[in-house]
Amino acid sequence: MTFGEQPAYLRVAGDLRKKIVDGSLPPHTRLPSQARIREEYGVSDTVALEARKVLMAEGLVEGRSGSGTYVRERPVPRRIARSGFRPTGGATPFRQEQSDGEARGTWESSSEQAEASGAVAERLGLQPGDRVMCTRYLFREAGEAMMLSTSWEPLAVTGRTPVMLPEEGPLGGMGVVERMRAIDVIVDNVTEEVGARPGLAEELHALGGVPGHVVLVIQRTYYASGRPVETADVVVPADRYRVAYHLPVK
């Protein structure tokens, strides 16, 4: 087989990937052994091994101890709807992260005071080390972990107020907009930036992924008259979900 200018291991991985996608290698099928790949494609053991590593990093195959490497079941991506407009009448944390009116889910959370890291301080217009309330969420839909969120709020804004703890008090469990309004902070803008990266070990453990899986990271910040009053990182498994935005034309 002639491989041209592309590295041989990528060409082998590409051919195997095509077979997985078109169903020639269906889910739960054992991937050809390293020796079989070497023989079929006329490549070295090193090339065969690197090709298998590529497919594993892409989440297309998984190793089973003492058994070999198998094609993974490919989930059908579901939609996470996002919008700058929040439902009227109050928005729970799940609702503020998923604007689809049909979405229903539960969440677990924990809050603690912390010092703002350099990155968080920059996003909130603070000095590194300034005190913030850090809240971590795990969202579930039909019992399945679907999304993580870590939010930070400046204690200079919420400290010593009834909304200092997002999940406690008279407005516990409500959205950022409603909670801030209760202390006369009027949120008038929200921005979101979407990126992708390999998931961290603890993220993939919580979301049911495997090492090497990619996650989407939505970096969200709420503003009141230009001042950041909350920022969050929302983490979504890229192989199971697609992020869809509602962008009204003004």
Side-chain angles (χ1 to χ4, degrees):
M1 179 177 291
T2 301
F3 291 100
E5 296 181 359
Q6 189 178 45
Y9 76 94
L10 291 181
R11 291 294 297 272
V12 173
D15 191 64
L16 292 171
R17 184 190 302 112
K18 181 177 180 298
K19 292 178 179 179
I20 292 172
V21 172
D22 68 17
S24 300
L25 288 172
H28 310 297
T29 299
R30 186 174 180 177
L31 195 71
S33 66
Q34 189 167 313
R36 178 70 179 275
I37 292 174
R38 182 189 63 212
E39 178 181 346
E40 181 176 345
Y41 292 94
V43 296
S44 67
D45 280 333
T46 299
V47 169
L49 178 61
E50 290 302 316
R52 290 159 65 92
K53 286 182 178 179
V54 168
L55 298 177
M56 192 167 292
E58 292 175 350
L60 295 175
V61 301
E62 61 183 355
R64 299 180 185 174
S65 180
S67 180
T69 304
Y70 291 80
V71 177
R72 294 185 67 247
E73 187 83 42
R74 300 184 68 202
V76 177
R78 286 175 283 173
R79 186 177 70 137
I80 289 179
R82 311 284 299 174
S83 173
F85 297 91
R86 302 305 179 197
T88 57
T92 66
F94 188 90
R95 298 294 307 118
Q96 74 177 12
E97 295 297 359
Q98 164 64 282
S99 66
D100 186 343
E102 300 301 316
R104 295 292 182 270
T106 60
W107 68 92
E108 305 159 16
S109 68
S110 63
S111 297
E112 63 179 354
Q113 295 189 33
E115 295 183 354
S117 67
V120 169
E122 182 177 0
R123 286 161 59 174
L124 288 173
L126 305 175
Q127 294 297 316
D130 283 356
R131 303 296 291 176
V132 294
M133 184 63 69
C134 176
T135 303
R136 294 179 172 84
Y137 293 93
L138 170 60
F139 297 93
R140 299 182 187 275
E141 185 177 23
E144 178 184 326
M146 63 169 292
M147 185 165 50
L148 300 172
S149 178
T150 303
S151 73
W152 299 270
E153 295 179 352
L155 286 174
V157 175
T158 62
R160 299 178 182 274
T161 74
V163 301
M164 183 174 73
L165 291 168
E167 293 297 306
E168 297 181 20
L171 291 180
M174 301 299 287
V176 174
V177 175
E178 288 75 16
R179 291 176 46 251
M180 292 295 171
R181 184 185 296 125
I183 57 173
D184 297 323
V185 176
I186 306 303
V187 173
D188 54 18
N189 191 27
V190 57
T191 65
E192 292 193 349
E193 298 180 8
V194 182
R197 59 167 171 75
L200 304 177
E202 56 268 28
E203 293 170 341
L204 296 175
H205 176 74
L207 294 170
V210 299
H213 270 194
V214 172
V215 295
L216 300 176
V217 181
I218 304 167
Q219 188 180 105
R220 182 198 67 211
T221 304
Y222 283 103
Y223 296 86
S225 299
R227 179 184 184 181
V229 295
E230 190 258 15
T231 194
D233 285 339
V234 182
V235 178
V236 180
D239 64 330
R240 283 185 276 149
Y241 293 93
R242 296 290 181 266
V243 179
Y245 280 86
H246 171 65
L247 302 174
V249 176
K250 295 185 179 180

